[in-house]
Amino acid sequence: MMDRTQKLQSIRPLIASAKIMPNMSDDERFQNQTLRPILKLQNDLFLASFQNYIKKMKNTFYELKLEKRLDYVTKAIQKDVKFRNSLKGMIIGQFTVEEYELYIKNSSALNKRMMNMVIKRIQDQIQYFDIYELVQ
């Protein structure tokens, strides 16, 4: 029977571009080995979560031009502590115990990396929200 670690790692997508080099920092190695696959796995959940955030904020997002929408994503994740903590939970909940132990050694820097990666991921898919707006 597979244990939790094996199950979690088995469902993560492989990312060919996430190279692991001997001279990488521990944070960069953690980013490529753990964070990038988890963020890719959780992508649909991040989009749904941000869609819900937009709705909770009275859909003002849809009144903005593209550049302001990109800023909106950044500000929502950086300034709204509840929303940011929710996103962090979606990621941390996918850690193995060993990964969590690595994470807590440098959680502040890794949190910053995680949130920057989520911001970039949502911004790169900003057109998703245009499509969602049309079907409502």
Side-chain angles (χ1 to χ4, degrees), residues 2 5 13 15 21 47 57 78-79 83 104 112 115:
M2 288 176 42
T5 295
I15 302 176
M21 306 299 222
L47 294 175
M57 297 299 142
Q78 288 179 345
K79 305 278 187 219
F83 184 56
I104 58 175
K112 189 171 186 167
M115 292 305 100

Side-chain angles (χ1 to χ4, degrees), residues 22-35:
N23 60 342
M24 280 182 164
S25 70
D26 290 342
D27 288 355
E28 192 173 2
R29 183 180 318 276
F30 189 82
Q31 173 182 302
N32 287 343
Q33 277 184 328
T34 302
L35 295 179

